[in-house]
């Protein structure tokens, strides 16, 4: 009788919740169709009637990766490129092998939080907070077998094996394709390189020293290969307005033909026509004006109000990674910086410049690379930084001794 009463009560309740939000994914699974020529945010779904168990399977994580490179570490990724069933599921994993004194250099995952478990050996790990509050704080911990540590999404972090035996760790990441931005590679190994005038000012060293540092770092720019999800599922998904395929948003343009102009618009210095009845005019800058806005939900849009700016951003390590997209902006021009990617603005002129930025968060956070890497509190070990940037400890100690300016108010 009690069970019947409970059933009746629940049936009555069942009609009162007729509204629910669509989670993501929007079906049981969306196995990636890697053969499809259609480019979307993530991958097109394979016909579910031909999906098989192998689409959710991968093997080989019992095999150690090659740690014979300069950094003495190797990342074996298990993401949507390895397991096509991960598409839209918002998770992936990695195996990381570390030789004695091996380092997984300071890096970020622009689209994922990482939870790391030590399987064998020991690891010295840490992450650096953003510039806000008492920012650029370094949180470190020595881990042993069985220990677990979390690296928050988007923050610079590292792992270092200080011991004399090999270490193995498994990481889970909250994205099918979390992306990896290795700081040294992105800042000093971008293609084409970031202007040494920009880097000299950012790292507070002379231009000649910046060139020397750049040359030494370019030698190690290919040392790491690895890669949140929700949206977007890659660095960018520039809208292909010519495509006849209809999706939520727009189909992605082939990333190999994307250019800086896809993130750019001009004309906001021109007044709109206010001669209509209401006496006002709205000039929209949306995905129809800036194709690079597709899937970004804005991120950061910068508008030049006065003067000029050289701007740019660097993509993550994936594909033909660490590509630099730059553009010279003048008054009224608009440029978009995709979420989580390293970017900069530089005034090359002799007059003051003013710009207005819009960001897709009430508190977006800022991580100034030089401050976070060389100015954290307490400082990151010079052993870690010397290995990550392939310079001697004296250079690291000198950089850490500088006063790292912060222009965020």
């Amino acid at each position: 009788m009690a069970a019947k009463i409970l059933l009746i009560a629940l049936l009555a309740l069942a009609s009162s919740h007729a509204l629910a939000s669509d989670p993501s994914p929007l079906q049981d699974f969306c196995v990636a169709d890697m053969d499809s020529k259609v480019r979307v945010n993530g991958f097109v779904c394979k016909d579910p009637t031909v999906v098989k168990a192998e689409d959710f399977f991968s093997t080989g994580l019992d095999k150690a990766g090659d740690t014979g490179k300069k950094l003495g570490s190797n990342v074996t990724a298990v993401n949507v490129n390895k397991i096509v069933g991960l598409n839209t599921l918002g998770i992936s994993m990695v195996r990381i092998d570390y030789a004695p004194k091996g380092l997984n250099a300071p890096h970020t995952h622009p689209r994922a939080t990482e939870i790391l478990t030590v399987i064998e050996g020991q690891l010295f790990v840490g992450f650096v907070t953003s510039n806000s509050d008492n920012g650029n704080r370094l949180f470190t911990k020595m881990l042993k077998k069985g220990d677990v540590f979390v690296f928050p999404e988007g923050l610079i972090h590292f792992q270092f094996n200080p011991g004399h035996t090999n270490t193995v760790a498994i990481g889970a990441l909250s994205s099918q394709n979390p992306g990896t931005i290795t700081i040294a590679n992105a800042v000093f190994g971008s293609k084409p390189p970031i202007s040494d005038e920009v880097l000299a000012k950012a790292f507070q060293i002379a231009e000649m020293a910046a060139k020397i540092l750049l040359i030494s770092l370019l030698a190690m720019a290919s040392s790491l290969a690895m890669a949140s999800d929700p949206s977007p599922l890659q660095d960018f998904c520039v809208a292909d307005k010519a495509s006849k395929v209809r999706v939520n948003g727009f189909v992605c343009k082939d990333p190999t033909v994307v250019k800086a102009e896809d993130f750019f618009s001009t004309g906001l210095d021109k007044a709109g026509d206010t001669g209509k009845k209401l006496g006002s005019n709205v000039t929209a800058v949306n995905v129809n004006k800036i194709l690079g806005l597709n899937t970004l939900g804005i991120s950061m849009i910068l508008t030049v109000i006065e003067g000029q700016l050289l701007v740019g951003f660097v993509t993550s390590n994936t594909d033909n990674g660490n590509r630099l997209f730059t553009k010279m902006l003048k008054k009224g021009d608009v440029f978009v910086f995709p979420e989580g990617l390293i970017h900069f603005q530089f005034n090359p002129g002799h007059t003051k410049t003013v710009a207005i930025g819009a960001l897709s968060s009430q508190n977006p956070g800022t991580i100034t690379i030089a401050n976070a890497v060389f100015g954290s509190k307490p400082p990151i070990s010079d052993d870690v930084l010397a290995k990550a940037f392939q310079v001697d400890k004296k250079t690291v100690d000198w950089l850490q001794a500088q006063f790292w300016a912060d222009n965020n108010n």
Side-chain angles (χ1 to χ4, degrees), residues 16-71:
S16 67
H17 293 282
L19 238 177
S21 61
D22 275 337
S24 97
L26 302 179
Q27 57 275 314
D28 287 347
F29 51 72
C30 171
V31 173
D33 182 354
M34 305 300 261
D35 296 324
S36 174
K37 297 294 189 289
V38 178
R39 295 180 182 273
V40 298
N41 187 29
F43 295 95
V44 170
C45 307
K46 185 186 290 189
D47 180 348
T49 63
V50 301
V51 168
K52 51 191 185 301
E54 282 70 23
D55 292 327
F56 302 89
F57 170 78
S58 180
T59 188
L61 274 198
D62 58 325
K63 306 292 191 300
D66 177 15
T67 59
K69 299 173 184 174
K70 279 187 177 179
L71 293 180

Side-chain angles (χ1 to χ4, degrees), residues 90-222:
I91 192 167
S92 60
M93 66 185 300
V94 294
R95 170 182 170 140
I96 313 177
D97 292 278
Y98 311 81
K101 309 300 181 185
L103 172 70
N104 193 7
H107 62 283
T108 73
H109 301 297
R111 297 179 290 277
T113 290
E114 179 179 3
I115 183 166
L116 189 82
T117 305
V118 176
I119 306 301
E120 292 291 342
Q122 58 181 332
L123 275 180
F124 177 64
V125 302
F127 66 84
V128 182
T129 62
S130 64
N131 297 11
S132 56
D133 305 321
N134 295 313
N136 300 140
R137 287 191 295 159
L138 174 65
F139 290 81
T140 61
K141 187 76 177 172
M142 183 65 74
L143 307 183
K144 63 183 188 305
K145 182 177 179 178
D147 288 350
V148 180
F149 198 82
V150 174
F151 302 101
E153 179 176 341
L155 297 189
I156 293 172
H157 60 283
F158 62 88
Q159 304 104 35
F160 178 64
N161 176 10
H164 300 287
T165 58
N166 292 335
T167 291
V168 180
I170 295 289
L173 299 104
S174 58
S175 169
Q176 68 181 48
N177 182 25
T180 297
I181 301 173
T182 307
I183 303 306
N185 297 30
V187 175
F188 294 102
S190 69
K191 301 179 283 287
I194 297 173
S195 156
D196 52 14
E197 191 176 10
V198 170
L199 292 177
K201 192 133 192 171
F203 286 86
Q204 298 174 35
I205 55 179
E207 281 188 46
M208 182 56 69
K211 287 181 179 177
I212 294 169
L213 186 59
L214 173 60
I215 291 167
S216 67
L217 289 168
L218 284 172
M220 56 82 68
S222 61

Side-chain angles (χ1 to χ4, degrees), residues 27 29 56 64 78 86 95 100 154 169 208 213 248 253 255 258 260 268-269 290 330 341 353:
Q27 57 275 314
F29 51 72
F56 302 89
V78 183
L86 282 173
R95 170 182 170 140
M208 182 56 69
L213 186 59
N248 186 27
K253 184 186 290 189
V258 168
L268 277 197
D269 57 325
I290 302 181
K330 65 183 189 303
L341 300 188
T353 290

Side-chain angles (χ1 to χ4, degrees), residues 38 240-247 251:
V38 178
D240 183 355
K241 300 296 284 290
S243 174
K244 298 293 190 289
V245 178
R246 295 184 180 276
V247 297
V251 170

Side-chain angles (χ1 to χ4, degrees), residues 188-309:
F188 294 102
S190 69
K191 301 179 283 287
I194 297 173
S195 156
D196 52 14
E197 191 176 10
V198 170
L199 292 177
K201 192 133 192 171
F203 286 86
Q204 298 174 35
I205 55 179
E207 281 188 46
M208 182 56 69
K211 287 181 179 177
I212 294 169
L213 186 59
L214 173 60
I215 291 167
S216 67
L217 289 168
L218 284 172
M220 56 82 68
S222 61
S223 60
L224 251 181
M226 199 198 115
S228 150
D229 234 346
S231 57
L233 300 179
Q234 57 274 313
D235 287 347
F236 48 70
C237 171
V238 172
D240 183 355
K241 300 296 284 290
S243 174
K244 298 293 190 289
V245 178
R246 295 184 180 276
V247 297
N248 186 27
F250 294 95
V251 170
C252 310
K253 184 186 290 189
D254 181 346
T256 62
V257 300
V258 168
K259 52 192 186 298
E261 282 69 21
D262 292 323
F263 302 89
F264 169 78
S265 178
T266 190
L268 277 197
D269 57 325
K270 305 295 190 296
D273 176 14
T274 59
K276 301 172 184 174
K277 280 187 177 180
L278 293 181
S280 65
N281 186 90
V282 177
T283 303
V285 181
N286 52 28
V287 70
N288 296 303
K289 286 278 186 71
I290 302 181
L291 303 181
L293 280 172
N294 191 39
T295 78
L296 295 186
I298 82 166
S299 291
M300 178 179 176
I301 300 182
L302 188 82
T303 306
V304 176
I305 306 300
E306 292 291 342
Q308 59 181 334
L309 277 180

